[in-house]
């Protein structure tokens, strides 16, 4: 113990810097966890949670008996999986592309251009999507009409068949750019001599990308994947809420939008917390599984 | 080392448990007992020495305390809110106004109450919420207070105050007295003139007019750039197609549960279960399929939809006429000369016409928190806002500074200086708080132009009565979100399907009944019988 105190005294400034971060996590992440007990209580949003009546698993039973929740659960899994499958590699590919640019000015221009969409709200993006994809007056429709097309193009924004593709496509367009920052930072950490040595050995751009760039990014990719999988049950409330409508809601309604409708608009806090609790538990399990698999594949990777 | 660490950990754990143990009973004693409907707010002690002298008021009256007001805002004011500053001056209070948009209101209020941060005056938009708050003891019974301090409130609400179910045993909620505007069919008369057509009076003429607005170049600019009716899917029942539903005798509402009707067998149900619903939908689809209306009605953003009327793309829109012929006129319109409108009443095949009646909404009102430190000041605010002068302040701002009367007897006013710019007017608080304790004949209604006043009255006069039940439905509280969602999705499918409308309708109604619709009908029917005893 004396050794520990001595060590702490010697490095007290470093540990002092930890305090704000720790305080933030404790106050805003751990203490609110007490609110999870609402999922097991009959709480109406008024008064002390401690005084609400315990109801055991009743809220969970009720939740799984609702067809709308089951539908939102399925949609969440499908949309999240599609976002990971198609959206996760996008920033990696984009980062490799940006890194391969040799002209500094062009590199900066591309980097800034791809990051910008992240700062536009989904409401505005929906306006842009309608301006482009709108079947009667959208840009695509106008161009086709200009070239003599007389039919009506399909309304992607109101079509159940295509709406999930619209969700994934717009997600990639908005978020791929900002996602490149971490990978570009990791790429700058790769020793340039490795590329030079590979070039001397006759490696072309593809081989250099595969054996040096991607190999150098491996740990970062795994950590980012674990984080992304952890958020799998959160398929993007603001995204779906802003761009969906009643014609496509059956393929777009996710747990977050369901919670908003039933929990906050209807004031059923216990049911909403139960749904959120399920999301978190599944997220935690997914993180543990991904971390386990990552450790098996590469013992140096993973987050714990 | 290990042993000492364990000891330290155990000590820490014991200390935490001790704290928890000490805290628990304290929490119990501070919580209001559920079901207690008594107001327990008086901050002024009435015991001891006070008993011997004159009795202290049975409500709080700390004029130094700030009164927090939270309500749905008609518009969001800027940081320098002249209207609230003036209201403070005229009522001798300190006010903190929280502006919340309608869509976010329920969420924000729930969060604040959940956190124990209860506004002193706040708007309630659901009777089940109001009852919940009363049961939890967070609302004040203001019956004696309003009787003594707010005569305007008592006079204005005298016919309805005790009809409100939550006011059984006291006064907890003051209703919003102004009826919302009923919908009008706003038709461009200049286009009709260009085409040599008369205002339609029945469904056949209405359809022919929409066709002509789409195909016969009603603006005479030589281009195929117009269509008949502007609407979006989300507004069906709330604004859109309500006149057509009305022509079939159906009082349409915002969602499945907004308007309830009595079926032939005496069951109270949603308006979409009206026996002529499919007949009306078939007529509507004939117009949609012919392309006489907004082609992108599913995906067009609401703002873009309004622009179609403002820019001369669409010739008809169902909306309260206060928008098209008063509030939007002439500023929003881009054409020169300006468009002109009138509001026809369309008669259906069975001689029906009109739109769903608008009643004073018993489920919408203002309540006072039992934790308010200046209930007397809060009552003064209510009293002032329910006066004619108060309504003018809350709607148009400070007279002589922001606006002035041109012809008061005929309700003609004008904005002054920089306040002619509606953005500046709203930034200074004009129009933003107009719904706070609004009286029935409020300032906006008095100052509408003559055509709009006539349109508002016409819509009220041609109302279709429906079964208004102001009581709280337990089934709806539990399953309402899912039931309404089912009706919304049914509407979407009815407007877009290429299949059989009856099949779609039957499938969704069965789904709605399974989600709680049948139980809801039984519950409402009982309430209706009780009301009509």
């Amino acid at each position: 113990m004396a050794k520990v105190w001595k060590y702490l005294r010697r490095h007290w400034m470093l540990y002092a810097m930890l305090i704000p971060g720790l305080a933030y996590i404790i106050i805003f992440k751990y203490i609110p966890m007490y609110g999870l007990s609402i999922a097991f209580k009959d709480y109406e949003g008024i008064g002390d949670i401690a005084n609400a009546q315990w109801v055991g698993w009743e809220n969970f039973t009720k939740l799984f008996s609702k067809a709308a929740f089951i539908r939102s659960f399925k949609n969440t899994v499908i949309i999240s999986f599609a976002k990971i499958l198609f959206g996760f590699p996008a920033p990696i590919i984009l980062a490799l592309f940006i890194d391969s640019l040799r002209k500094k000015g062009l590199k900066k221009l591309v980097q800034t251009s791809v990051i910008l969409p992240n700062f536009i709200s989904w409401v505005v993006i929906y306006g842009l999507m309608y301006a482009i994809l709108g079947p009667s007056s959208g840009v695509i429709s106008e161009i086709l009409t200009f070239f003599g097309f007389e039919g009506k193009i399909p309304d992607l924004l109101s079509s159940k068949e295509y709406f999930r593709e619209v969700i994934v496509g717009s997600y990639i367009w908005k978020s791929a750019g900002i996602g490149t920052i971490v990978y570009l930072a990791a790429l700058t950490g790769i020793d340039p001599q490795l590329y030079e040595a590979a070039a001397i050995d006759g490696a072309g751009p593809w081989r250099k990308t595969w054996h040096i760039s991607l190999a150098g990014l491996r740990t970062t990719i795994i950590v980012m994947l674990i984080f992304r999988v952890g958020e799998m049950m959160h398929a993007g409330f603001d995204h779906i809420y802003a761009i969906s409508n009643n014609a496509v809601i059956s393929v777009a309604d996710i747990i977050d939008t369901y919670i908003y409708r039933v929990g906050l608009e209807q004031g059923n806090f216990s049911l909403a917390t139960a749904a959120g609790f399920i999301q978190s538990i599944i997220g935690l399990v997914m993180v543990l599984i991904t971390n386990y698999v990552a450790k098996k594949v590469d013992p140096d990777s993973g987050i714990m | 080392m290990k042993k000492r660490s364990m000891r330290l950990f155990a000590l820490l754990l014991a200390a935490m448990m001790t704290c928890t143990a000490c805290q628990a009973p304290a929490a119990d004693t501070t919580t209001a007992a559920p079901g207690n409907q008594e107001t327990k707010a008086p901050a002024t002690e009435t015991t001891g020495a006070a008993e011997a002298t004159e009795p202290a008021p049975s409500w709080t009256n700390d004029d130094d305390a700030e009164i927090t007001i939270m309500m749905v805002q008609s518009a969001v004011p800027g940081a320098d809110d002249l209207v609230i500053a003036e209201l403070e001056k005229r009522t001798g209070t300190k006010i903190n106004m929280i502006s919340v948009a309608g869509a976010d209101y329920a969420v924000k209020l729930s969060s604040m109450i959940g956190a124990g941060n209860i506004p002193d005056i706040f708007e309630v938009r659901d009777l089940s919420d109001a009852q919940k708050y009363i049961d939890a003891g967070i609302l004040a019974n203001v019956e004696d207070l309003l009787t003594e301090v707010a005569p305007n409130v008592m006079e204005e609400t005298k016919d309805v105050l005790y009809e409100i179910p939550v006011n059984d045993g006291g006064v907890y909620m003051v209703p919003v007295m102004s009826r919302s505007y009923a919908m009008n069919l706003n038709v461009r008369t200049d286009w009709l003139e260009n085409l040599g057509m008369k205002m339609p009076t029945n469904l056949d003429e209405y359809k022919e007019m929409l066709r002509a607005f789409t195909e016969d170049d009603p603006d005479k600019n030589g281009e195929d750039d117009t269509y008949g009716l502007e609407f979006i899917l989300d507004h069906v029942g709330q604004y859109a197609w309500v006149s057509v539903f009305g022509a079939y005798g159906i009082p349409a509402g915002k969602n499945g549960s907004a308007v309830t009707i009595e079926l032939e067998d005496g069951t109270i149900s949603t308006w979409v279960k009206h026996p002529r619903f499919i007949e009306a939908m078939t007529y509507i689809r004939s117009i949609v399929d012919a392309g006489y209306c907004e082609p992108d009605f599913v995906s067009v953003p609401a703002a873009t939809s309004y622009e179609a009327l403002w820019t001369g793309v669409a010739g008809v829109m169902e909306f309260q006429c206060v928008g098209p012929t008063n509030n939007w006129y002439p500023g929003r319109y881009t054409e020169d000369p300006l468009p002109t409108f009138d509001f026809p009443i369309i008669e259906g095949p069975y001689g029906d016409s009109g739109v769903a009646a608008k009643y004073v909404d018993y489920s919408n009102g203002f309540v006072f928190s039992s934790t308010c430190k200046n209930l007397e000041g809060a009552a003064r605010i209510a009293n002032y806002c329910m006066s004619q002068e108060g309504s003018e302040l809350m709607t148009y701002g400070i007279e002589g500074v922001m606006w002035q009367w041109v012809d008061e007897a005929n309700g003609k006013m004008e904005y002054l200086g920089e306040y002619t710019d509606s953005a500046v007017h709203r930034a200074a608080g004009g129009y933003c708080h107009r719904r706070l304790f609004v009286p029935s004949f409020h300032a906006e209604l008095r100052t509408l132009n003559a055509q709009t006043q006539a349109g508002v009255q016409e819509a009220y006069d041609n109302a279709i009565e429906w079964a208004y039940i102001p009581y709280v439905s337990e089934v709806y509280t539990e399953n309402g979100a899912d039931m309404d969602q089912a009706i919304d999705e049914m509407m979407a499918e009815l407007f877009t399907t290429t299949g059989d409308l009856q099949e779609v309708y039957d499938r969704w109604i069965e789904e709605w009944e399974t989600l709680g619709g049948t139980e809801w009908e039984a519950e409402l029917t009982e309430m209706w019988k009780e009301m009509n005893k």
Side-chain angles (χ1 to χ4, degrees):
Chain A
M1 198 63 192
K3 264 186 183 175
V4 174
W5 277 116
K6 201 175 168 190
Y7 177 82
L8 285 176
R9 265 207 301 273
R10 191 185 302 154
H11 301 288
W12 71 270
M13 277 197 288
L14 288 175
Y15 284 96
M17 282 191 281
L18 253 181
I19 291 171
L22 278 176
Y24 167 78
I25 290 172
I26 290 167
I27 294 168
F28 294 105
K29 302 288 176 187
Y30 277 85
I31 293 176
M33 277 192 205
Y34 167 63
L36 280 176
S37 63
I38 293 173
F40 302 94
K41 292 187 165 200
D42 181 15
Y43 180 64
E44 294 193 324
I46 307 164
D48 197 338
I49 297 168
N51 294 311
Q53 195 190 344
W54 287 100
V55 292
W57 296 98
E58 193 184 302
N59 289 316
F60 294 89
T61 316
K62 210 184 278 180
L63 210 52
F64 280 101
S65 70
K66 285 180 179 282
F69 175 73
I70 301 294
R71 182 179 76 174
S72 66
F73 190 92
K74 277 184 194 163
N75 285 336
T76 304
V77 172
I78 292 168
I79 293 168
S80 275
F81 186 72
K83 278 184 172 177
I84 291 175
L85 191 66
F86 299 104
F88 185 75
I92 302 170
I93 295 165
L94 205 55
L96 291 170
F97 168 72
I98 293 169
D99 191 57
S100 70
L101 295 172
R102 289 291 152 242
K103 286 196 173 175
K104 242 183 172 181
L106 182 66
K107 197 173 182 175
K108 275 186 178 174
L109 180 74
V110 174
Q111 207 171 336
T112 310
S113 307
V114 296
I115 287 170
L116 274 180
N118 182 64
F119 302 103
I120 306 173
S121 82
W122 279 114
V123 176
V124 176
I125 289 176
Y126 181 70
L128 290 172
M129 285 163 71
Y130 176 74
I132 295 167
L133 302 171
S136 65
S137 56
V139 174
I140 293 174
S141 164
E142 295 289 328
I143 291 171
L144 289 174
T145 309
F146 181 77
F147 285 108
F149 179 75
E150 287 184 349
K152 197 179 176 190
I153 63 166
D155 188 354
L156 298 179
L157 302 173
S158 65
S159 159
K160 279 184 197 171
E161 288 76 31
Y162 305 115
F163 198 71
R164 284 181 181 144
E165 284 84 337
V166 170
I167 292 173
V168 176
S170 53
Y171 165 75
I172 293 173
W173 183 80
K174 188 178 192 291
S175 63
I178 196 82
T180 59
I181 290 176
V182 176
Y183 298 112
L184 283 170
L187 283 167
T188 54
I190 296 172
D191 188 350
Q193 287 185 18
L194 291 174
Y195 292 103
E196 288 162 18
I200 291 165
D201 290 343
W206 286 111
R207 283 210 170 269
K208 280 194 258 180
T209 302
W210 184 256
H211 291 289
I212 303 170
S213 303
L214 276 175
L217 285 178
R218 190 176 58 190
T219 315
T220 312
I221 290 173
I222 289 172
V223 170
M224 295 304 285
L225 182 65
I226 291 170
F227 285 153
R228 183 64 194 88
V229 168
E231 289 174 355
M232 187 164 171
M233 295 310 286
H234 297 273
F237 168 79
D238 45 353
H239 182 190
I240 305 286
Y241 190 73
I243 75 168
S244 66
N245 55 61
N246 284 325
V248 295
I249 198 74
S250 60
V251 295
D253 196 19
I254 56 171
I255 295 177
D256 290 318
T257 49
Y258 181 79
I259 287 175
Y260 182 80
R261 205 167 54 241
V262 173
L264 296 176
E265 284 189 341
Q266 188 94 16
N268 205 332
F269 289 89
S270 294
L271 216 56
T273 311
F277 194 42
I278 293 166
Q279 277 182 304
S280 303
I281 293 293
I282 294 173
L284 177 66
V285 171
M286 295 298 289
V287 166
L288 292 175
I289 292 172
T290 316
N291 189 63
Y292 177 78
V293 173
K295 284 269 188 196
K296 282 277 167 196
V297 175
D298 178 4
D300 294 333
S301 61
I303 54 171
M304 53 190 150
Chain B
M1 166 74 194
K2 202 176 171 186
K3 225 174 179 180
R4 289 182 69 178
S5 303
M6 287 299 285
R7 267 187 214 155
L8 196 69
F9 178 70
L11 203 66
L12 200 68
L13 202 65
M16 283 167 66
M17 286 168 75
T18 310
C19 287
T20 314
C22 293
Q23 210 176 356
D28 282 342
T29 52
T30 53
T31 309
N36 186 353
Q37 297 199 7
E38 293 296 311
T39 309
K40 353 180 170 35
T44 315
E45 292 294 335
T46 53
T47 54
E51 279 173 12
T53 57
E54 63 181 72
S58 61
W59 49 77
T60 54
N61 56 5
D62 177 4
D63 279 339
D64 291 331
E66 194 174 61
I67 296 169
T68 304
I69 304 174
M70 185 164 150
M71 61 179 285
V72 174
Q73 302 287 331
S74 303
V76 180
D80 193 13
D81 191 333
L82 300 183
V83 172
I84 292 300
E86 188 67 16
L87 181 64
E88 286 179 324
K89 211 189 294 174
R90 295 187 191 181
T91 56
T93 54
K94 289 178 184 168
I95 299 171
N96 170 29
M97 177 63 84
I98 302 175
S99 303
V100 186
D104 303 327
Y105 186 77
V107 174
K108 174 112 180 165
L109 181 64
S110 297
S111 312
M112 285 184 71
I113 290 176
N117 187 13
I118 306 161
D120 298 309
I121 297 174
F122 61 96
E123 187 175 355
V124 170
R125 305 170 86 195
D126 186 326
L127 276 182
S128 60
D129 285 346
Q131 190 59 55
K132 217 159 66 176
Y133 302 147
I134 293 168
D135 292 345
I138 65 170
L139 298 191
N141 179 352
V142 289
E143 188 172 24
D144 295 341
L145 170 66
L146 294 182
T147 307
E148 197 157 318
V149 180
N152 291 341
V153 175
M154 297 310 278
E155 176 61 24
E156 177 71 27
T157 61
K158 64 183 177 197
D159 294 334
V160 295
L161 194 60
Y162 292 100
E163 297 290 317
I164 297 167
V166 295
N167 285 345
D168 183 19
V171 173
Y172 293 93
M173 187 168 104
V174 176
V176 170
M177 288 304 294
S178 68
R179 283 189 287 171
S180 42
Y181 299 116
M183 295 301 137
N184 301 85
L185 192 58
N186 302 277
V187 171
R188 282 195 58 164
T189 48
D190 53 335
W191 281 14
L192 281 174
E193 218 169 279
N194 289 346
L195 295 167
M197 295 179 84
K198 283 185 181 164
M199 192 59 94
T201 57
N202 59 47
L203 289 170
D204 290 337
E205 288 174 10
Y206 181 55
K207 190 173 178 179
E208 173 55 20
M209 180 191 72
L210 294 178
R211 185 209 61 74
F213 279 7
T214 309
E215 296 175 349
D216 295 349
D217 191 19
D219 56 359
K220 299 294 173 197
N221 67 353
E223 287 178 35
D224 179 17
D225 58 355
T226 61
Y227 52 80
L229 177 73
E230 179 58 43
F231 84 101
I232 65 171
L233 183 64
D234 278 356
H235 290 169
V236 172
Q238 184 182 12
Y239 312 131
W241 299 104
V242 289
S243 299
V244 171
F245 281 121
Y248 285 90
I250 306 169
K254 184 183 175 186
N255 51 40
S257 56
V259 171
T260 44
I261 56 168
E262 185 172 6
L263 302 178
E264 278 174 12
D265 63 358
T267 305
I268 301 298
S269 189
T270 164
W271 64 275
V272 299
K273 283 186 86 173
H274 192 285
R276 292 188 202 136
F277 181 81
I278 284 296
E279 201 181 339
M281 270 312 302
T282 306
Y283 172 82
I284 290 169
R285 277 301 302 262
S286 74
I287 291 174
V288 172
D289 294 345
Y292 301 156
C293 57
E294 163 66 71
D296 300 343
F297 62 89
V298 179
S299 50
V300 64
T304 312
S305 164
Y306 294 123
E307 277 170 20
L309 188 76
W310 300 337
T311 56
V313 173
V316 183
M317 181 187 262
E318 286 184 275
F319 200 77
Q320 52 210 24
C321 66
V322 174
T325 58
N326 197 89
N327 295 356
W328 302 342
Y329 210 87
R332 300 279 192 181
Y333 297 97
T334 57
E335 290 170 280
D336 185 20
L338 285 164
T340 55
F341 295 91
D342 208 349
F343 327 112
I345 301 289
I346 304 293
E347 198 174 283
Y350 307 98
D352 296 300
S353 62
V355 292
K358 294 285 181 185
Y359 304 115
V360 171
D361 189 356
Y362 287 1
S363 62
N364 185 196
F366 288 93
V367 294
F368 300 80
S369 161
S370 57
T371 54
C372 176
K373 289 181 180 155
N374 187 10
L375 272 172
E376 192 172 303
R380 284 202 301 273
I381 293 171
N383 192 54
Y384 182 73
C385 291
M386 278 213 166
S387 68
Q388 192 169 309
E389 186 187 306
S391 179
E392 285 162 13
L393 173 69
M394 303 312 280
T395 307
Y396 297 118
I398 306 165
E399 188 181 352
V401 176
M402 296 164 79
W403 65 282
Q404 68 180 17
W405 287 112
V406 175
D407 178 2
E408 188 171 357
N410 290 307
K412 199 159 169 46
M413 50 76 68
E414 66 178 7
Y415 290 108
L416 297 172
E418 59 180 333
Y419 302 106
T420 47
D421 180 345
S422 64
V424 177
H425 180 248
R426 279 155 172 72
Y431 202 76
C432 300
H433 320 292
R434 56 176 285 273
R435 292 181 58 260
L436 181 64
F437 294 105
V438 60
S440 49
F441 193 55
H442 50 88
E444 186 186 55
L445 201 54
R446 274 192 295 131
T447 53
L448 293 174
N449 63 45
Q451 185 192 21
T452 309
Q453 279 202 4
V456 168
Q457 199 54 49
E458 181 189 76
Y460 284 151
D461 292 345
N462 286 280
I464 302 171
E465 302 293 327
W466 48 282
Y468 178 50
I469 300 173
Y471 297 100
V472 178
S473 159
E474 280 177 27
V475 178
Y476 187 76
T477 306
E478 188 68 29
N479 305 310
D482 290 343
M483 285 157 54
D484 284 345
Q485 185 61 34
I487 297 294
D488 286 348
E489 288 182 45
M490 178 187 79
M491 282 295 186
E493 196 170 342
L494 286 172
F495 270 83
T496 54
T497 184
T498 51
D500 179 29
L501 294 183
Q502 188 69 53
E503 184 277 320
V504 172
Y505 177 79
D506 291 342
R507 176 161 42 83
W508 277 108
I509 289 296
E510 196 183 327
E511 170 83 9
W512 176 83
E513 286 171 349
T514 314
L515 288 169
T518 307
E519 284 175 75
W520 184 64
E521 284 176 338
E523 191 186 12
L524 289 193
T525 306
E526 278 309 306
M527 288 178 183
W528 185 244
K529 280 181 189 162
E530 198 64 33
M531 278 173 69
N532 290 294
K533 254 184 187 172

